[in-house]
Amino acid sequence: MAGKTVSLKDFAGQNALDRLKKAVRYCQKNPGTTLIIPPGRYLVRDEAAVRLMEDAMNGKLGNNPQEHIFTHYFPYSRCLDLSGCENITIEGYGAWIVCDGWMEPVSIENSRNVTVKGLTIDYFRKPYSIGTVTYESPEYYDVKFDGEYPVNANMPSPRIYAYLWEMGRFSSKGWDCEKKELIAAQTIRFYGEKPEAIMGKTVCVWHSFHFRPAIFIHESADTALYEVTIHSQPGMGIVGHRSENIHATRLRIVPEAGNFISTNTDATHFTSCKGELCFENCQFEGHGDDAINVHNYYYTVKNSAGSACEIMVEEADAHAQVLDYPDVSDTLELVHADTLLSVKEYKVLSVENNKNLWKSKVVLNDVLPENCSGYFLVNTTRLPSLKFLGCHVKNHLARGVLIKTRNVLVEGCTFEDSMGTAIHIAAEGGWREGVPSSHVIIRNNRMLRCGHGNHGRMIGASGICVNIDAEKTDTPNLHKDILIEGNMIAGENLPQGIYISCAKDVMVRHNEIAGCIEPVKVLHSTNVTVKENYFR
């Protein structure tokens, strides 16, 4: 093993997980290594991860396990832990990492120039179950689950949808249940809310919302993913946090062959990153939330005195569940909490972090207002550019691309049967996710039958929504410099094709819009030009 290329075959171990960990330790000690994982299915069983999965599936963590397992610094198991690696390539064409137990399959932390190629990630017992309705009454319905999904009456069911084979997509509205009971082998009786006439329908039951992602990229730079596939995960597909330059080419976050569910929540989610995020010719299907969401956080400001204060991420899903903080010399903007209007810039002179108390003390280059209760601070240094090129997004909950950053290009993509709006340009104070966007180009995309559901349709827009989520939603000129051209939008009798508010300097031209009552709606904006479009 003296050379720079090694094979997993070179490492002995009692099981696949043991061998993988030994191989990764070698890579950590030998920068520049390429690790070849030969083709095959590698069952990765971790006892702590199995106990966690069993606790969740037996109802010990409640009907929404997220409340227990998606918390600050929650302990979890890892498979390929590439922390501290430098100039490493993992090449796994034809290799399937099949996880037994809820874990984080790939961890890239404090690393530089890590590349993963060809690897497939999946789960032995999927974090969802699929069955068929065999009986229904006004009070309950019975579901016979396929044998690959062992079920019990205590299993969590925070999200239930039907899959409509005739339409090739999930039903437009989901539901929950009041109680469950096992009435026969693999057959659960669900009581409470349900849609009408579901006899014979295929029913999908998700068993978790957020947990650890399939791939976690944290405090790392220059990460590349080539032809990586993620088939399932009891959480998101990829989370990137406080990282720089992440490129994905021909990434697939899609169901395995013959299935129609992939990750339980977002396909990808990036917070407080910088540099460039680039996704080229990627595929996203069957995930339980947005295909991609890019933002930083609105900090709550506490104990301010002069130029010093404490900042925290509050009332938000901290998607990495590790501390978010600025670096010295970063730029923070002071923002009105009720409008998200930026009023002043500061430079960070010093930072003192306390992860146990989930806060940072910062000293800025100028004094803060005497009373900061009506303001947020937001780090505008950590706003990566985004390229989303030639991608295909299909049949999933929520939105396709959610943009809360600056310098963005979404081009040549197809969005079809997204339950929510295809592309959303936003700043969402309610989620504490910012900021208003600028320099955005949305060009030559197709948006087909998007916005059909109750999960993620913004205002009434099928194709594109530009808006603000705040206490006051009529502040003009927050989003700036947006070009929307050459797109095809085909809605299903929805209120709008394109909805624009709180924006300035927007050009909407050469688009084709059908199936929308009002093709383009503009509110609370200035210098918006709508010309040479085709509506029918």
Side-chain angles (χ1 to χ4, degrees):
M1 295 189 295
K4 290 295 183 180
T5 298
V6 298
S7 171
L8 187 62
K9 294 179 180 179
D10 299 328
F11 300 89
Q14 297 180 345
N15 51 49
L17 181 58
D18 188 32
R19 293 168 59 206
L20 286 166
K21 291 191 175 207
K22 288 180 179 179
V24 168
R25 283 196 293 271
Y26 176 87
C27 293
Q28 290 168 332
K29 295 176 182 178
N30 294 273
T33 298
T34 294
L35 170 64
I36 306 295
I37 303 178
R41 294 176 68 89
Y42 298 85
L43 182 63
V44 175
R45 180 181 174 90
D46 179 273
E47 295 306 321
V50 170
R51 286 194 298 271
L52 178 64
M53 177 184 67
E54 290 177 345
D55 284 349
M57 291 300 296
N58 288 318
K60 294 182 180 180
L61 305 182
N63 196 50
N64 183 4
Q66 171 179 314
E67 296 175 1
H68 295 268
I69 63 179
F70 191 63
T71 53
H72 306 338
Y73 295 98
F74 181 84
Y76 57 90
S77 303
R78 297 179 173 187
C79 175
L80 282 169
D81 186 357
L82 302 172
S83 299
C85 284
E86 185 174 348
N87 300 323
I88 295 298
T89 298
I90 307 296
E91 189 170 309
Y93 288 101
W96 286 48
I97 301 297
V98 182
C99 301
D100 190 1
W102 289 6
M103 65 180 73
E104 186 174 276
V106 178
S107 309
I108 303 171
E109 290 198 86
N110 299 299
S111 298
R112 299 291 180 271
N113 195 25
V114 169
T115 299
V116 182
K117 297 181 177 181
L119 196 67
T120 295
I121 297 169
D122 204 352
Y123 273 73
F124 180 70
R125 200 296 183 205
K126 299 288 198 296
Y128 54 80
S129 297
I130 299 174
T132 303
V133 177
T134 58
Y135 180 81
E136 69 170 320
S137 77
E139 294 79 25
Y140 60 81
Y141 57 99
D142 300 337
V143 180
K144 173 77 172 181
F145 286 93
D146 300 343
E148 66 181 287
Y149 308 108
V151 297
N152 65 78
N154 296 317
M155 68 184 189
S157 54
R159 174 182 287 157
I160 304 173
Y161 277 83
Y163 182 76
L164 308 178
W165 290 94
E166 67 276 14
M167 303 184 74
R169 72 188 191 193
F170 298 121
S171 56
S172 296
K173 183 179 180 182
W175 66 95
D176 200 350
C177 71
E178 295 175 1
K179 65 176 182 176
K180 302 182 286 289
E181 62 177 320
L182 185 69
I183 62 169
Q186 287 294 106
T187 303
I188 299 287
R189 177 164 290 169
F190 293 83
Y191 292 86
E193 177 188 8
K194 74 174 184 68
E196 295 181 359
I198 60 171
M199 179 66 183
K201 296 289 188 182
T202 296
V203 167
C204 310
V205 180
W206 282 257
H207 300 307
S208 71
F209 290 137
H210 292 314
F211 176 55
R212 302 307 305 173
I215 300 176
F216 183 41
I217 305 170
H218 178 221
E219 301 276 10
S220 296
D222 303 319
T223 303
L225 306 173
Y226 290 97
E227 297 166 339
V228 169
T229 298
I230 299 170
H231 280 321
S232 62
Q233 178 68 19
M236 296 185 179
I238 301 171
V239 169
H241 181 63
R242 283 185 49 83
S243 292
E244 183 174 359
N245 298 332
I246 299 171
H247 289 191
T249 303
R250 292 184 294 281
L251 167 75
R252 298 187 304 170
I253 301 180
V254 298
E256 69 171 335
N259 208 324
F260 40 83
I261 302 176
S262 58
T263 62
N264 280 20
T265 50
D266 302 49
T268 69
H269 202 117
F270 299 92
T271 57
S272 300
C273 292
K274 60 183 182 179
E276 181 180 78
L277 304 178
C278 183
F279 290 77
E280 295 186 82
N281 302 319
C282 300
Q283 299 175 23
F284 305 89
E285 182 179 350
H287 38 96
D289 216 302
D290 309 314
I292 185 168
N293 186 349
V294 181
H295 64 88
N296 54 18
Y297 293 104
Y298 288 116
Y299 295 122
T300 300
V301 184
K302 296 189 174 184
N303 300 321
S304 59
S307 62
C309 67
E310 293 176 341
I311 57 174
M312 313 177 61
V313 175
E314 289 188 317
E315 301 181 37
D317 283 339
H319 301 87
Q321 289 298 341
V322 297
L323 188 69
D324 184 82
Y325 59 91
D327 295 319
V328 172
S329 80
D330 280 0
T331 298
L332 301 186
E333 286 187 5
L334 188 70
V335 174
H336 281 297
D338 60 348
T339 63
L340 305 186
L341 178 66
S342 177
V343 294
K344 188 173 180 178
E345 286 189 350
Y346 296 87
K347 287 290 185 181
V348 178
L349 301 182
S350 68
V351 182
E352 182 181 337
N353 294 322
N354 189 327
K355 72 176 187 179
N356 294 325
L357 296 179
W358 198 248
K359 65 182 180 181
S360 301
K361 182 177 181 179
V362 296
V363 176
L364 307 175
N365 67 331
D366 202 350
V367 296
L368 290 156
E370 289 186 11
N371 183 357
C372 286
S373 61
Y375 296 95
F376 297 136
L377 283 170
V378 63
N379 188 348
T380 55
T381 297
R382 290 195 165 272
L383 289 176
S385 66
L386 171 64
K387 292 180 179 178
F388 199 78
L389 310 174
C391 296
H392 188 192
V393 182
K394 180 180 179 182
N395 181 39
H396 67 102
L397 279 65
R399 297 152 291 192
V401 178
L402 181 47
I403 300 166
K404 288 169 275 192
T405 189
R406 296 165 185 170
N407 301 302
V408 176
L409 174 61
V410 180
E411 185 172 34
C413 299
T414 296
F415 304 85
E416 54 180 323
D417 294 301
S418 297
M419 197 170 293
T421 302
I423 299 173
H424 187 195
I425 300 173
E428 297 184 308
W431 289 102
R432 299 296 193 268
E433 297 179 8
V435 294
S437 298
S438 60
H439 314 308
V440 178
I441 298 173
I442 301 173
R443 184 167 57 202
N444 296 341
N445 303 285
R446 295 195 307 156
M447 306 168 205
L448 312 176
R449 302 174 302 280
C450 295
H452 69 85
N454 67 336
H455 191 99
R457 184 175 68 228
M458 309 313 300
I459 315 297
S462 173
I464 300 167
C465 179
V466 181
N467 78 328
I468 294 294
D469 171 24
E471 183 178 336
K472 298 178 181 178
T473 59
D474 58 358
T475 303
N477 306 337
L478 296 179
H479 300 289
K480 299 179 178 70
D481 186 22
I482 300 171
L483 172 62
I484 300 171
E485 71 171 355
N487 301 286
M488 298 173 60
I489 299 172
E492 294 182 325
N493 196 34
L494 292 180
Q496 296 95 32
I498 299 172
Y499 179 96
I500 298 169
S501 66
C502 305
K504 177 183 178 182
D505 299 333
V506 181
M507 174 64 74
V508 181
R509 67 187 180 198
H510 308 157
N511 302 282
E512 301 178 29
I513 303 177
C516 299
I517 297 169
E518 190 173 9
V520 180
K521 184 169 185 175
V522 180
L523 294 171
H524 317 306
S525 300
T526 60
N527 195 27
V528 177
T529 302
V530 180
K531 68 176 186 179
E532 299 170 356
N533 299 283
Y534 174 65
F535 304 146
R536 70 178 184 88

